[in-house]
mmCIF file of all heavy atoms in Angstrom:
data_model
loop_
_atom_site.group_PDB
_atom_site.id
_atom_site.type_symbol
_atom_site.label_atom_id
_atom_site.label_comp_id
_atom_site.label_asym_id
_atom_site.label_seq_id
_atom_site.Cartn_x
_atom_site.Cartn_y
_atom_site.Cartn_z
ATOM 1 N N VAL W 321 -13.204 -19.321 29.876
ATOM 2 C CA VAL W 321 -13.261 -18.179 28.957
ATOM 3 C C VAL W 321 -13.276 -18.631 27.500
ATOM 4 O O VAL W 321 -13.939 -18.024 26.651
ATOM 5 C CB VAL W 321 -12.063 -17.237 29.229
ATOM 6 C CG1 VAL W 321 -11.902 -16.223 28.105
ATOM 7 C CG2 VAL W 321 -12.256 -16.521 30.546
ATOM 8 N N HIS W 322 -12.560 -19.708 27.198
ATOM 9 C CA HIS W 322 -12.466 -20.161 25.809
ATOM 10 C C HIS W 322 -13.803 -20.661 25.271
ATOM 11 O O HIS W 322 -13.962 -20.825 24.053
ATOM 12 C CB HIS W 322 -11.415 -21.260 25.688
ATOM 13 C CG HIS W 322 -11.727 -22.494 26.481
ATOM 14 N ND1 HIS W 322 -11.487 -22.568 27.837
ATOM 15 C CD2 HIS W 322 -12.258 -23.690 26.121
ATOM 16 C CE1 HIS W 322 -11.860 -23.769 28.283
ATOM 17 N NE2 HIS W 322 -12.323 -24.466 27.256
ATOM 18 N N THR W 323 -14.772 -20.909 26.163
ATOM 19 C CA THR W 323 -16.093 -21.376 25.705
ATOM 20 C C THR W 323 -17.054 -20.221 25.462
ATOM 21 O O THR W 323 -18.154 -20.437 24.952
ATOM 22 C CB THR W 323 -16.701 -22.328 26.752
ATOM 23 O OG1 THR W 323 -16.890 -21.612 27.983
ATOM 24 C CG2 THR W 323 -15.789 -23.515 26.991
ATOM 25 N N PHE W 324 -16.674 -18.994 25.805
ATOM 26 C CA PHE W 324 -17.568 -17.850 25.637
ATOM 27 C C PHE W 324 -17.660 -17.449 24.165
ATOM 28 O O PHE W 324 -16.844 -17.854 23.332
ATOM 29 C CB PHE W 324 -17.069 -16.652 26.459
ATOM 30 C CG PHE W 324 -17.143 -16.864 27.952
ATOM 31 C CD1 PHE W 324 -16.498 -15.998 28.817
ATOM 32 C CD2 PHE W 324 -17.867 -17.918 28.492
ATOM 33 C CE1 PHE W 324 -16.558 -16.186 30.189
ATOM 34 C CE2 PHE W 324 -17.940 -18.114 29.857
ATOM 35 C CZ PHE W 324 -17.279 -17.251 30.708
ATOM 36 N N GLY W 325 -18.642 -16.603 23.870
ATOM 37 C CA GLY W 325 -18.764 -16.052 22.525
ATOM 38 C C GLY W 325 -17.677 -15.034 22.243
ATOM 39 O O GLY W 325 -17.060 -14.468 23.162
ATOM 40 N N ASP W 326 -17.444 -14.786 20.965
ATOM 41 C CA ASP W 326 -16.333 -13.907 20.597
ATOM 42 C C ASP W 326 -16.531 -12.480 21.088
ATOM 43 O O ASP W 326 -15.567 -11.804 21.460
ATOM 44 C CB ASP W 326 -16.112 -13.931 19.086
ATOM 45 C CG ASP W 326 -17.368 -13.567 18.312
ATOM 46 O OD1 ASP W 326 -18.440 -13.527 18.930
ATOM 47 O OD2 ASP W 326 -17.272 -13.322 17.095
ATOM 48 N N ILE W 327 -17.791 -11.972 21.123
ATOM 49 C CA ILE W 327 -17.993 -10.591 21.551
ATOM 50 C C ILE W 327 -17.660 -10.428 23.031
ATOM 51 O O ILE W 327 -17.133 -9.392 23.455
ATOM 52 C CB ILE W 327 -19.439 -10.139 21.262
ATOM 53 C CG1 ILE W 327 -20.456 -11.097 21.886
ATOM 54 C CG2 ILE W 327 -19.670 -10.023 19.776
ATOM 55 C CD1 ILE W 327 -21.885 -10.625 21.713
ATOM 56 N N LEU W 328 -17.942 -11.462 23.833
ATOM 57 C CA LEU W 328 -17.583 -11.399 25.246
ATOM 58 C C LEU W 328 -16.079 -11.581 25.442
ATOM 59 O O LEU W 328 -15.470 -10.939 26.307
ATOM 60 C CB LEU W 328 -18.359 -12.465 26.027
ATOM 61 C CG LEU W 328 -18.140 -12.490 27.547
ATOM 62 C CD1 LEU W 328 -18.448 -11.138 28.163
ATOM 63 C CD2 LEU W 328 -18.998 -13.576 28.189
ATOM 64 N N GLN W 329 -15.477 -12.423 24.631
ATOM 65 C CA GLN W 329 -14.033 -12.628 24.733
ATOM 66 C C GLN W 329 -13.267 -11.347 24.415
ATOM 67 O O GLN W 329 -12.250 -11.041 25.059
ATOM 68 C CB GLN W 329 -13.598 -13.758 23.792
ATOM 69 C CG GLN W 329 -14.028 -15.134 24.245
ATOM 70 C CD GLN W 329 -13.643 -16.214 23.252
ATOM 71 O OE1 GLN W 329 -13.355 -15.925 22.084
ATOM 72 N NE2 GLN W 329 -13.645 -17.458 23.691
ATOM 73 N N LEU W 330 -13.742 -10.579 23.446
ATOM 74 C CA LEU W 330 -13.073 -9.322 23.116
ATOM 75 C C LEU W 330 -13.112 -8.352 24.292
ATOM 76 O O LEU W 330 -12.132 -7.646 24.570
ATOM 77 C CB LEU W 330 -13.739 -8.690 21.885
ATOM 78 C CG LEU W 330 -13.407 -9.322 20.533
ATOM 79 C CD1 LEU W 330 -14.293 -8.745 19.445
ATOM 80 C CD2 LEU W 330 -11.944 -9.117 20.185
ATOM 81 N N VAL W 331 -14.244 -8.306 24.985
ATOM 82 C CA VAL W 331 -14.350 -7.420 26.140
ATOM 83 C C VAL W 331 -13.438 -7.904 27.264
ATOM 84 O O VAL W 331 -12.828 -7.099 27.983
ATOM 85 C CB VAL W 331 -15.813 -7.350 26.613
ATOM 86 C CG1 VAL W 331 -15.941 -6.424 27.814
ATOM 87 C CG2 VAL W 331 -16.710 -6.867 25.508
ATOM 88 N N ILE W 332 -13.313 -9.219 27.431
ATOM 89 C CA ILE W 332 -12.420 -9.768 28.457
ATOM 90 C C ILE W 332 -10.968 -9.395 28.156
ATOM 91 O O ILE W 332 -10.200 -9.032 29.056
ATOM 92 C CB ILE W 332 -12.601 -11.295 28.548
ATOM 93 C CG1 ILE W 332 -13.971 -11.627 29.153
ATOM 94 C CG2 ILE W 332 -11.485 -11.933 29.372
ATOM 95 C CD1 ILE W 332 -14.300 -13.104 29.160
ATOM 96 N N VAL W 333 -10.576 -9.453 26.883
ATOM 97 C CA VAL W 333 -9.212 -9.043 26.511
ATOM 98 C C VAL W 333 -8.979 -7.589 26.868
ATOM 99 O O VAL W 333 -7.923 -7.216 27.411
ATOM 100 C CB VAL W 333 -8.985 -9.271 24.995
ATOM 101 C CG1 VAL W 333 -7.662 -8.665 24.560
ATOM 102 C CG2 VAL W 333 -8.997 -10.756 24.675
ATOM 103 N N GLU W 334 -9.976 -6.746 26.597
ATOM 104 C CA GLU W 334 -9.831 -5.333 26.929
ATOM 105 C C GLU W 334 -9.686 -5.126 28.433
ATOM 106 O O GLU W 334 -8.857 -4.334 28.892
ATOM 107 C CB GLU W 334 -11.045 -4.556 26.414
ATOM 108 C CG GLU W 334 -10.973 -3.072 26.717
ATOM 109 C CD GLU W 334 -12.175 -2.312 26.189
ATOM 110 O OE1 GLU W 334 -12.977 -2.906 25.446
ATOM 111 O OE2 GLU W 334 -12.312 -1.128 26.537
ATOM 112 N N LEU W 335 -10.488 -5.865 29.224
ATOM 113 C CA LEU W 335 -10.396 -5.743 30.680
ATOM 114 C C LEU W 335 -9.024 -6.176 31.185
ATOM 115 O O LEU W 335 -8.394 -5.484 32.005
ATOM 116 C CB LEU W 335 -11.492 -6.585 31.343
ATOM 117 C CG LEU W 335 -11.391 -6.706 32.865
ATOM 118 C CD1 LEU W 335 -11.588 -5.351 33.524
ATOM 119 C CD2 LEU W 335 -12.387 -7.718 33.402
ATOM 120 N N VAL W 336 -8.547 -7.306 30.702
ATOM 121 C CA VAL W 336 -7.246 -7.804 31.153
ATOM 122 C C VAL W 336 -6.153 -6.800 30.819
ATOM 123 O O VAL W 336 -5.257 -6.525 31.629
ATOM 124 C CB VAL W 336 -6.953 -9.180 30.527
ATOM 125 C CG1 VAL W 336 -5.522 -9.610 30.808
ATOM 126 C CG2 VAL W 336 -7.931 -10.220 31.048
ATOM 127 N N TYR W 337 -6.227 -6.229 29.636
ATOM 128 C CA TYR W 337 -5.204 -5.244 29.260
ATOM 129 C C TYR W 337 -5.237 -4.043 30.190
ATOM 130 O O TYR W 337 -4.196 -3.572 30.667
ATOM 131 C CB TYR W 337 -5.420 -4.799 27.809
ATOM 132 C CG TYR W 337 -4.402 -3.782 27.361
ATOM 133 C CD1 TYR W 337 -3.180 -4.185 26.850
ATOM 134 C CD2 TYR W 337 -4.656 -2.421 27.477
ATOM 135 C CE1 TYR W 337 -2.230 -3.256 26.455
ATOM 136 C CE2 TYR W 337 -3.718 -1.488 27.093
ATOM 137 C CZ TYR W 337 -2.504 -1.909 26.579
ATOM 138 O OH TYR W 337 -1.573 -0.988 26.204
ATOM 139 N N LYS W 338 -6.443 -3.516 30.456
ATOM 140 C CA LYS W 338 -6.542 -2.331 31.306
ATOM 141 C C LYS W 338 -6.066 -2.618 32.719
ATOM 142 O O LYS W 338 -5.359 -1.804 33.319
ATOM 143 C CB LYS W 338 -7.999 -1.845 31.332
ATOM 144 C CG LYS W 338 -8.449 -1.185 30.033
ATOM 145 C CD LYS W 338 -9.853 -0.643 30.157
ATOM 146 C CE LYS W 338 -10.243 0.116 28.889
ATOM 147 N NZ LYS W 338 -11.608 0.673 28.978
ATOM 148 N N VAL W 339 -6.431 -3.780 33.264
ATOM 149 C CA VAL W 339 -6.030 -4.117 34.622
ATOM 150 C C VAL W 339 -4.521 -4.273 34.708
ATOM 151 O O VAL W 339 -3.859 -3.720 35.601
ATOM 152 C CB VAL W 339 -6.739 -5.405 35.086
ATOM 153 C CG1 VAL W 339 -6.166 -5.896 36.408
ATOM 154 C CG2 VAL W 339 -8.232 -5.162 35.217
ATOM 155 N N CYS W 340 -3.943 -5.002 33.767
ATOM 156 C CA CYS W 340 -2.495 -5.233 33.797
ATOM 157 C C CYS W 340 -1.720 -3.961 33.479
ATOM 158 O O CYS W 340 -0.592 -3.778 33.944
ATOM 159 C CB CYS W 340 -2.113 -6.351 32.836
ATOM 160 S SG CYS W 340 -2.829 -7.953 33.257
ATOM 161 N N TYR W 341 -2.313 -3.090 32.684
ATOM 162 C CA TYR W 341 -1.656 -1.811 32.385
ATOM 163 C C TYR W 341 -1.611 -0.932 33.629
ATOM 164 O O TYR W 341 -0.593 -0.276 33.905
ATOM 165 C CB TYR W 341 -2.419 -1.101 31.264
ATOM 166 C CG TYR W 341 -1.893 0.273 30.940
ATOM 167 C CD1 TYR W 341 -0.744 0.436 30.171
ATOM 168 C CD2 TYR W 341 -2.555 1.416 31.396
ATOM 169 C CE1 TYR W 341 -0.265 1.696 29.872
ATOM 170 C CE2 TYR W 341 -2.075 2.672 31.103
ATOM 171 C CZ TYR W 341 -0.936 2.818 30.335
ATOM 172 O OH TYR W 341 -0.463 4.072 30.040
ATOM 173 N N ALA W 342 -2.714 -0.929 34.384
ATOM 174 C CA ALA W 342 -2.761 -0.114 35.590
ATOM 175 C C ALA W 342 -2.016 -0.756 36.751
ATOM 176 O O ALA W 342 -1.395 -0.064 37.561
ATOM 177 C CB ALA W 342 -4.220 0.148 35.981
ATOM 178 N N SER W 343 -2.068 -2.093 36.844
ATOM 179 C CA SER W 343 -1.421 -2.812 37.951
ATOM 180 C C SER W 343 -0.581 -3.946 37.383
ATOM 181 O O SER W 343 -1.091 -5.056 37.183
ATOM 182 C CB SER W 343 -2.461 -3.359 38.924
ATOM 183 O OG SER W 343 -3.291 -2.323 39.400
ATOM 184 N N PRO W 344 0.678 -3.689 37.071
ATOM 185 C CA PRO W 344 1.516 -4.744 36.477
ATOM 186 C C PRO W 344 1.620 -6.001 37.334
ATOM 187 O O PRO W 344 1.888 -7.081 36.818
ATOM 188 C CB PRO W 344 2.875 -4.059 36.318
ATOM 189 C CG PRO W 344 2.565 -2.596 36.254
ATOM 190 C CD PRO W 344 1.392 -2.396 37.147
ATOM 191 N N SER W 345 1.381 -5.877 38.629
ATOM 192 C CA SER W 345 1.476 -7.058 39.492
ATOM 193 C C SER W 345 0.379 -8.075 39.210
ATOM 194 O O SER W 345 0.469 -9.230 39.628
ATOM 195 C CB SER W 345 1.404 -6.632 40.955
ATOM 196 O OG SER W 345 0.181 -5.940 41.217
ATOM 197 N N GLU W 346 -0.674 -7.661 38.505
ATOM 198 C CA GLU W 346 -1.782 -8.569 38.202
ATOM 199 C C GLU W 346 -1.518 -9.412 36.953
ATOM 200 O O GLU W 346 -2.359 -10.231 36.576
ATOM 201 C CB GLU W 346 -3.069 -7.764 37.991
ATOM 202 C CG GLU W 346 -3.559 -7.005 39.208
ATOM 203 C CD GLU W 346 -4.238 -7.931 40.212
ATOM 204 O OE1 GLU W 346 -4.539 -9.073 39.841
ATOM 205 O OE2 GLU W 346 -4.448 -7.505 41.352
ATOM 206 N N ARG W 347 -0.383 -9.201 36.279
ATOM 207 C CA ARG W 347 -0.136 -9.910 35.020
ATOM 208 C C ARG W 347 -0.130 -11.418 35.211
ATOM 209 O O ARG W 347 -0.708 -12.160 34.412
ATOM 210 C CB ARG W 347 1.197 -9.456 34.429
ATOM 211 C CG ARG W 347 1.193 -8.013 33.950
ATOM 212 C CD ARG W 347 2.537 -7.623 33.386
ATOM 213 N NE ARG W 347 2.531 -6.230 32.922
ATOM 214 C CZ ARG W 347 3.569 -5.617 32.391
ATOM 215 N NH1 ARG W 347 4.715 -6.274 32.249
ATOM 216 N NH2 ARG W 347 3.483 -4.365 31.998
ATOM 217 N N ALA W 348 0.516 -11.885 36.253
ATOM 218 C CA ALA W 348 0.611 -13.334 36.461
ATOM 219 C C ALA W 348 -0.761 -13.955 36.671
ATOM 220 O O ALA W 348 -0.980 -15.125 36.356
ATOM 221 C CB ALA W 348 1.501 -13.621 37.661
ATOM 222 N N ARG W 349 -1.695 -13.161 37.161
ATOM 223 C CA ARG W 349 -3.038 -13.683 37.445
ATOM 224 C C ARG W 349 -3.836 -13.938 36.176
ATOM 225 O O ARG W 349 -4.628 -14.883 36.097
ATOM 226 C CB ARG W 349 -3.758 -12.675 38.347
ATOM 227 C CG ARG W 349 -5.174 -13.058 38.743
ATOM 228 C CD ARG W 349 -5.757 -11.940 39.595
ATOM 229 N NE ARG W 349 -7.168 -12.172 39.898
ATOM 230 C CZ ARG W 349 -7.973 -11.283 40.468
ATOM 231 N NH1 ARG W 349 -7.465 -10.097 40.819
ATOM 232 N NH2 ARG W 349 -9.241 -11.562 40.707
ATOM 233 N N PHE W 350 -3.632 -13.090 35.161
ATOM 234 C CA PHE W 350 -4.490 -13.167 33.981
ATOM 235 C C PHE W 350 -3.756 -13.571 32.712
ATOM 236 O O PHE W 350 -4.371 -13.678 31.658
ATOM 237 C CB PHE W 350 -5.167 -11.807 33.736
ATOM 238 C CG PHE W 350 -6.103 -11.392 34.825
ATOM 239 C CD1 PHE W 350 -5.748 -10.398 35.717
ATOM 240 C CD2 PHE W 350 -7.327 -12.012 34.971
ATOM 241 C CE1 PHE W 350 -6.611 -10.014 36.728
ATOM 242 C CE2 PHE W 350 -8.199 -11.633 35.963
ATOM 243 C CZ PHE W 350 -7.849 -10.641 36.863
ATOM 244 N N ILE W 351 -2.439 -13.784 32.777
ATOM 245 C CA ILE W 351 -1.703 -14.085 31.550
ATOM 246 C C ILE W 351 -2.145 -15.410 30.956
ATOM 247 O O ILE W 351 -2.182 -15.593 29.726
ATOM 248 C CB ILE W 351 -0.178 -14.076 31.834
ATOM 249 C CG1 ILE W 351 0.593 -13.844 30.542
ATOM 250 C CG2 ILE W 351 0.265 -15.341 32.516
ATOM 251 C CD1 ILE W 351 0.593 -12.412 30.106
ATOM 252 N N ARG W 352 -2.539 -16.346 31.813
ATOM 253 C CA ARG W 352 -2.999 -17.648 31.302
ATOM 254 C C ARG W 352 -4.316 -17.507 30.543
ATOM 255 O O ARG W 352 -4.563 -18.220 29.563
ATOM 256 C CB ARG W 352 -3.168 -18.622 32.479
ATOM 257 C CG ARG W 352 -3.552 -20.031 32.061
ATOM 258 C CD ARG W 352 -3.285 -21.013 33.210
ATOM 259 N NE ARG W 352 -3.970 -20.595 34.426
ATOM 260 C CZ ARG W 352 -5.226 -20.953 34.734
ATOM 261 N NH1 ARG W 352 -5.906 -21.734 33.909
ATOM 262 N NH2 ARG W 352 -5.789 -20.558 35.857
ATOM 263 N N CYS W 353 -5.135 -16.573 30.988
ATOM 264 C CA CYS W 353 -6.399 -16.317 30.277
ATOM 265 C C CYS W 353 -6.130 -15.853 28.852
ATOM 266 O O CYS W 353 -6.787 -16.299 27.903
ATOM 267 C CB CYS W 353 -7.208 -15.287 31.052
ATOM 268 S SG CYS W 353 -8.708 -14.739 30.222
ATOM 269 N N ILE W 354 -5.145 -14.959 28.684
ATOM 270 C CA ILE W 354 -4.810 -14.474 27.339
ATOM 271 C C ILE W 354 -4.237 -15.607 26.492
ATOM 272 O O ILE W 354 -4.532 -15.724 25.291
ATOM 273 C CB ILE W 354 -3.828 -13.300 27.436
ATOM 274 C CG1 ILE W 354 -4.457 -12.140 28.222
ATOM 275 C CG2 ILE W 354 -3.411 -12.828 26.059
ATOM 276 C CD1 ILE W 354 -5.674 -11.557 27.569
#
Side-chain angles (χ1 to χ4, degrees):
V321 167
H322 62 280
T323 62
F324 293 167
D326 56 348
I327 54 176
L328 183 56
Q329 288 177 342
L330 284 171
V331 180
I332 290 174
V333 172
E334 180 179 351
L335 172 65
V336 171
Y337 180 86
K338 287 184 175 181
V339 171
C340 297
Y341 176 78
S343 304
S345 59
E346 296 283 347
R347 292 180 180 180
R349 180 182 174 189
F350 296 106
I351 202 78
R352 184 163 55 89
C353 174
I354 299 297

